Amino acid sequence: MTSWRLVARAYSAINSGIRFPHAYCTSVALSGHRSFSTGTAVRKDFFKDVESHIKEFQEKASAAMPGSGWHPMHLTPGLPPERTDILIVGGGVVGWSIAYWLKKKEMIRDGVRVLVVEKDPTYSQASTVLSAGGIRQQFSLPENIHLSLASADFMRNINDHLSVLNDDPIDLQFNHSGYLFLASEKGAEIMEENYKTQRYAGAKVTLLSPTQLKDKFPWLNTDEVVLASYGLENEGWFDPWTLLNAFRRKAMSMGVFQCFGEVTGFKYKTHSIMTLDGDLVDLKRIRYVNVRMPNSLEYQPVECAIVVNAAGASAGKVAKLAGIGAGPEHTIGAIPVPVEPRKRFIYVLHCPDGPGLDTPFMIDYSGVYFRREGLGGNYITGMSPEEEEEPETTDLEVDHEFFQEKIWPHLANRVPAFEKLKVTSAWAGYYDYNTFDQNGILGLHPLVNNMYFATGFSGHGLQQSPAAGRALAELILDGDFKTLDLSALGFQRIFSNQPTLERNIV
Amino acid sequence: MALLMLMQSRGCVWTCLTVIRRNLSSSSALLAPPKPNSKLTFFLCQRFHDVEQMISWSSWLKSWTLRRKNVYYSYTQSEYGDNIAAAFYILSMKGGFRFAGQSDWFRTNYRGKFSWDFVNFPDVPIEEVDMSRTLINYSGLNNLVSQQGLRSLSLRGCPEVDDWFLSRLHIYQDTLEKLDLSHCPRITIGGLASLHHLRKLRRLELSSLPQLQSPGLVRILLEEVLPHCNISGVDYREGLTETNTHIDKQTDSEITQLTEEHTHTQGPHRQTLTQ
Ligand SMILES: Cc1cc2nc3c(=O)[nH]c(=O)nc-3n(C[C@H](O)[C@H](O)[C@H](O)COP(=O)(O)OP(=O)(O)OC[C@H]3O[C@@H](n4cnc5c(N)ncnc54)[C@H](O)[C@@H]3O)c2cc1C
């Protein structure tokens, strides 16, 4: 039994020498198994034997099946390196933004080795590509406003930041159409307060009375609208794919490694400490990250100094793999990372008589939102369901009744032209929903002292990704926030149970 | 000999600059195949760190120059007031302007020199600005924000005017009557959509916008949101597939076709990442 295992490992060791799937992987894979080739003389002979046998067999196999790439001891191509400084879990827009900023901020060339691990090369379930692509400054938390302003600034100069030599310039397809929030009697006061906060933070927002609103957007039904706030600059929507791709290309051109595989576990060291209250909590430090190759059981432990959890909607799950939240009850060790997937639907509408070029990203006080999509009378719309009516998150099936029953009545009420429309398609995506306070979690976990988080953005992660990535890179490389103080978005609030709530979440 | 070397090195810098230009300025260069010398630079750049460094420096230099030119004239503003600062900025950029209530234009001569007479009118606001073929960009607009009586603005052939610039023009929503955006290589529909703020606009010139897809349709849509505005430079049929259909017969099927194109390009499952 043992001898068989030895032989099998020897096979793979030799095999890794024969095949060169990825330049950087091979050298690492070899060094990992080097102990075999420097054994005693007897073992050397034995391995030489095996090696020659394998070669023979390979030649025979390729002669028998010339067209086939099949190989008895196939080594998965694209294995991650065995060692890296910083490993980023999740290659969504947040993950790649962090990777870019880490490289941008490194002092010397190749100062930090960054690896991004993404489980799905097609991004079929990533929130980034399934989002509505909106950016706004109309938040109530100054942190969110500043994040979004900084991101807008980044997007304005995106070609200074992310252009790659001899590539086409990046065109985000940014639509400067603004966001329009409507408030009823109930929300008007909050809207006014938010408006003040936003203006103070530097956002170009204006308040509109119902008459002004009607004058500006004649297609809108302003019944029961008491106040509206409208973004004049830096608000609108853009193409998420382009942003993701631009970050990815630039980061890779700067030397970030990417690997397709799933993070399935962590190996960590634990030592217990006593808190002031007398509780015993486990303090962990991650040593290895297990990365499983797609569609196979093979996995590779990657040794790393720092792990960044940017796994979007699955960030809570990834945190659990590191034993977060598994401590004894009623201690801080039992507090999980409060991020879970929540399914949200987006419906594509066709309505030739709908509002025209002045259509903003409109958000009704009922929670329904819509925006224009292209120029041909297409719109996309959606709404967050009530807490009790959250749909199942097992798959990305679309619930068409939700549109008929919940969205359409509000939509047609607000824009009479939408009484006649056709739903041409629809899709669903997962919000990286922070159940605690629906805001991003940015920072180091107190109990796993080398795992950083950038997740839980709950529906505004795409627009905040450039600034959030910069903030996290500062936290990692400089030890503190430098440009924007985002300490309010750290874990402190979760552990002390003080939610920093946004006063209108979409 | 030295001269020759100098010329050679200048040639080299020029290549780098052209490469960078291709990168930073969008538009027309976008469609052109990479020139052989840029391929060479690319090759050299991958081989040698010095070349790479030089290219990044030259691109940095270019953006630095641009930034310096468009910097906010805060000193002039504090010493001489808003109007003089704006006027000084316009002339330094080799543009031209006209004060309200005057008929003469202040302009630079062919060597970029200008007379300083404008300092005698610190209290007169500027009414018309001609920034055509200048390097004005988003931040340069800071110098003109104070001119709340602006009625005409020409941005003809400005390489740095982009959608972000247009999105800021709402500051003139109550005064601007004439806007010339022709030959601006970076303008797309994303910025033109924000022009609906300009309720006073009477004339809009949109000819030769290389980045603008289906200009004819854009014109129709713009006329819808700016009913009093006369849009010139674009034919209704431009950008539509069938060229010989009459304007009135702009059928539904064409619109649907455009529609479909848009849903195809902008839907979520557009493409899988090329690896
Ligand atoms: C319908 C909808 C509309 C939205 N609208 C907007 C909007 O208008 N504006 C806005 O700013 N935001 C919006 N968002 C939110 C935004 O999309 C997200 O906040 C943002 O994309 C989060 O980015 P991310 O990189 O953290 O997550 P993701 O894009 O989900 O990336 C996470 C990646 O991690 C990978 N991953 C997960 N687990 C593992 C693992 N164990 N190992 C390896 N890889 C793993 C996943 O495959 C995924 O690709 C919307 C979201 C939805 C669903």
Side-chain angles (χ1 to χ4, degrees):
Chain A
M1 185 63 210
T2 4
S3 65
W4 161 242
R5 207 181 289 157
L6 249 175
V7 173
R9 289 178 76 178
Y11 265 46
S12 68
I14 293 156
N15 196 18
S16 65
I18 298 167
R19 297 205 135 209
F20 297 93
H22 263 232
Y24 67 87
C25 294
T26 337
S27 64
V28 179
L30 262 179
S31 67
H33 295 282
R34 193 157 287 159
S35 56
F36 285 108
S37 48
T38 53
T40 57
V42 188
R43 286 178 75 191
K44 237 184 195 166
D45 283 345
F46 170 70
F47 285 114
K48 264 189 190 148
D49 242 20
V50 172
E51 197 172 342
S52 62
H53 273 114
I54 289 191
K55 259 196 187 143
E56 233 168 72
F57 181 77
Q58 263 191 335
E59 273 159 23
K60 266 189 201 161
S62 66
M65 299 174 288
S68 154
W70 181 82
H71 186 262
M73 300 289 165
H74 186 72
L75 184 82
T76 320
L79 269 183
E82 281 195 353
R83 211 164 283 118
T84 181
D85 295 328
I86 301 174
L87 186 142
I88 298 173
V89 188
V93 70
V94 175
W96 278 111
S97 164
I98 296 168
Y100 161 74
W101 282 107
L102 284 171
K103 276 287 167 189
K104 171 102 178 167
K105 285 183 68 69
E106 70 183 358
M107 292 298 183
I108 49 168
R109 191 182 282 263
D110 295 329
V112 280
R113 228 173 125 96
V114 182
L115 171 71
V116 175
V117 181
E118 165 59 48
K119 69 174 174 194
D120 179 10
T122 60
Y123 288 95
S124 57
Q125 305 215 327
S127 337
T128 302
V129 296
L130 297 171
S131 74
I135 174 168
R136 62 180 159 118
Q137 280 84 48
Q138 299 185 49
F139 292 100
S140 63
L141 268 191
E143 279 80 9
N144 280 336
I145 304 172
H146 284 299
L147 271 173
S148 171
L149 272 173
S151 299
D153 193 65
F154 180 90
M155 290 179 203
R156 182 155 51 79
N157 299 311
I158 192 159
N159 275 309
D160 294 346
H161 292 284
L162 299 186
S163 69
V164 180
L165 186 74
N166 264 31
D167 262 8
D168 289 337
I170 300 151
D171 176 14
L172 273 185
Q173 298 167 30
F174 200 109
N175 256 281
H176 298 266
S177 294
Y179 265 68
L180 178 69
F181 278 77
L182 305 182
S184 63
E185 188 75 53
K186 221 168 73 198
E189 208 172 308
I190 295 181
M191 179 176 274
E192 230 167 308
E193 271 171 44
N194 288 354
Y195 166 77
K196 278 181 203 145
T197 323
Q198 289 151 13
R199 289 299 293 204
Y200 183 72
K204 301 281 188 297
V205 186
T206 173
L207 287 182
L208 300 174
S209 70
T211 23
Q212 283 170 316
L213 195 63
K214 190 80 199 169
D215 185 47
K216 219 170 173 55
F217 306 107
W219 41 264
L220 200 70
N221 170 16
T222 52
D223 291 351
E224 290 176 52
V225 176
V226 175
L227 196 66
S229 82
Y230 183 36
L232 297 169
E233 282 177 36
N234 299 329
E235 289 197 332
W237 57 90
F238 58 92
D239 182 33
W241 261 118
T242 316
L243 185 65
L244 174 63
N245 247 330
F247 267 128
R248 188 163 156 273
R249 292 187 69 102
K250 182 68 183 183
M252 284 176 67
S253 82
M254 292 165 95
V256 173
F257 296 120
Q258 104 168 320
C259 147
F260 291 120
E262 182 174 349
V263 171
T264 51
F266 298 95
K267 272 191 217 145
Y268 44 80
K269 256 186 160 171
T270 313
H271 44 142
S272 298
I273 50 159
M274 186 84 80
T275 61
L276 282 182
D277 305 338
D279 292 339
L280 214 55
V281 290
D282 287 344
L283 206 61
K284 303 190 181 90
R285 185 166 183 87
I286 294 171
R287 304 285 306 282
Y288 292 93
V289 179
N290 289 338
V291 179
R292 202 185 71 195
M293 294 295 98
N295 306 321
S296 83
L297 289 175
E298 191 175 355
Y299 74 82
Q300 161 99 41
V302 181
E303 190 179 358
C304 62
I306 287 172
V307 178
V308 179
N309 184 345
S314 344
K317 224 172 79 192
V318 172
K320 226 181 250 166
L321 295 176
I324 294 173
E329 252 180 86
H330 306 302
T331 62
I332 54 170
I335 301 175
V337 173
V339 178
E340 60 179 46
R342 293 274 173 101
K343 194 153 83 169
R344 295 288 178 268
F345 309 113
I346 288 186
Y347 305 88
V348 185
L349 315 175
H350 182 61
C351 174
D353 304 326
L357 211 53
D358 54 349
T359 319
F361 201 131
M362 201 209 78
I363 295 170
D364 189 36
Y365 54 79
S366 60
V368 170
Y369 66 82
F370 81 92
R371 71 161 170 85
R372 184 166 57 76
E373 172 76 52
L375 302 177
N378 284 313
Y379 305 86
I380 65 173
T381 181
M383 179 190 194
S384 292
E386 301 283 327
E387 184 77 32
E388 313 83 56
E389 294 173 2
E390 282 290 348
E392 282 289 315
T393 54
T394 39
D395 55 20
L396 285 175
E397 278 301 306
V398 177
D399 177 6
H400 282 276
E401 267 169 28
F402 184 70
F403 175 78
Q404 300 287 343
E405 286 168 14
K406 305 280 171 179
I407 299 182
W408 200 2
H410 292 297
L411 205 60
N413 171 38
R414 196 48 67 211
V415 184
F418 282 150
E419 263 155 27
K420 267 195 292 178
L421 57 76
K422 211 168 79 193
V423 179
T424 48
S425 72
W427 75 82
Y430 295 125
Y431 262 25
D432 40 349
Y433 194 81
N434 173 353
T435 51
F436 181 70
D437 59 7
Q438 293 84 46
N439 273 312
I441 302 174
L442 272 177
L444 185 63
H445 195 278
L447 297 182
V448 183
N449 65 9
N450 61 349
M451 191 185 222
Y452 287 81
F453 281 78
T455 181
F457 293 101
S458 325
H460 42 261
L462 176 70
Q463 58 185 289
Q464 299 187 338
S465 58
R470 184 180 64 182
L472 207 76
E474 284 169 1
L475 205 58
I476 292 174
L477 295 181
D478 304 331
D480 208 352
F481 294 117
K482 293 285 172 200
T483 39
L484 287 178
D485 181 14
L486 300 174
S487 34
L489 296 182
F491 273 96
Q492 186 60 34
R493 69 185 205 269
I494 297 170
F495 280 78
S496 57
N497 201 12
Q498 289 168 330
T500 44
L501 285 164
E502 181 67 41
R503 285 200 292 183
N504 47 33
I505 324 135
V506 229
Chain B
M1 185 62 204
L3 189 72
L4 198 73
M5 272 176 69
L6 189 73
M7 272 171 69
Q8 265 175 354
S9 73
R10 284 187 79 194
C12 184
V13 169
W14 179 241
T15 354
C16 305
L17 278 174
T18 46
V19 175
I20 294 307
R21 272 198 78 81
R22 243 180 68 72
N23 259 328
L24 295 185
S25 72
S26 30
S27 78
S28 49
L30 207 144
L31 301 168
K35 291 183 200 77
N37 58 1
S38 80
K39 258 193 205 156
L40 177 70
T41 335
F42 186 57
F43 173 78
L44 288 176
C45 193
Q46 285 188 320
R47 256 329 109 110
F48 304 106
H49 285 332
D50 329 34
V51 179
E52 192 185 344
Q53 197 62 39
M54 212 160 81
I55 287 185
S56 76
W57 276 340
S58 67
S59 95
W60 176 86
L61 189 72
K62 190 184 163 239
S63 70
W64 180 79
T65 320
L66 195 67
R67 233 175 311 141
R68 190 181 49 102
K69 282 192 173 164
N70 281 295
V71 77
Y72 181 51
Y73 284 30
S74 55
Y75 177 76
T76 324
Q77 195 271 338
S78 59
E79 291 285 307
Y80 298 94
D82 288 332
N83 299 336
I84 301 297
F88 186 34
Y89 167 73
I90 294 167
L91 290 177
S92 318
M93 293 295 279
K94 304 199 179 75
F97 67 90
R98 187 175 64 75
F99 280 123
Q102 298 183 1
S103 56
D104 292 343
W105 279 74
F106 286 85
R107 285 191 185 275
T108 55
N109 67 9
Y110 67 99
R111 283 161 65 199
K113 296 274 189 308
F114 50 85
S115 86
W116 291 87
D117 295 345
F118 66 88
V119 291
N120 301 329
F121 306 98
D123 299 325
V124 191
I126 294 173
E127 203 171 70
E128 284 192 63
V129 172
D130 176 9
M131 295 302 284
S132 45
R133 284 176 285 277
T134 61
L135 283 179
I136 186 171
N137 72 0
Y138 180 87
S139 31
L141 200 55
N142 282 340
N143 288 305
L144 300 182
V145 169
S146 56
Q147 300 310 311
Q148 286 297 326
L150 195 69
R151 288 173 55 193
S152 157
L153 179 62
S154 170
L155 299 166
R156 192 182 173 80
C158 290
E160 300 298 331
V161 166
D162 54 8
D163 293 338
W164 293 86
F165 187 100
L166 295 192
S167 78
R168 253 189 119 183
L169 288 180
H170 70 86
I171 46 179
Y172 304 122
Q173 56 183 341
D174 296 326
T175 56
L176 199 67
E177 289 168 11
K178 228 176 106 188
L179 183 61
D180 185 351
L181 298 176
S182 50
H183 299 276
C184 287
R186 300 172 96 170
I187 289 181
T188 72
I189 181 64
L192 291 178
S194 69
L195 292 186
H196 72 87
H197 286 290
L198 305 172
R199 287 293 158 136
K200 283 272 162 61
L201 206 61
R202 294 292 171 268
R203 288 198 51 196
L204 180 61
E205 169 71 40
L206 288 183
S207 61
S208 306
L209 301 180
Q211 292 271 54
L212 191 62
Q213 284 151 4
S214 48
L217 181 60
V218 171
R219 175 171 176 188
I220 297 172
L221 292 171
L222 268 175
E223 279 174 353
E224 206 176 278
V225 292
L226 295 169
H228 307 296
C229 183
N230 176 8
I231 298 172
S232 53
V234 190
D235 191 57
Y236 287 114
R237 278 169 293 178
E238 240 177 279
L240 293 177
T241 34
E242 286 154 88
T243 37
N244 45 6
T245 32
H246 195 260
I247 307 163
D248 301 343
K249 288 192 191 148
Q250 217 229 338
T251 51
D252 276 355
S253 70
E254 273 172 352
I255 304 253
T256 3
Q257 203 177 335
L258 282 164
T259 311
E260 275 167 11
E261 265 169 34
H262 275 286
T263 21
H264 276 312
T265 49
Q266 309 211 335
H269 298 292
R270 258 146 300 200
Q271 38 161 301
T272 42
L273 282 181
T274 41
Q275 286 164 35

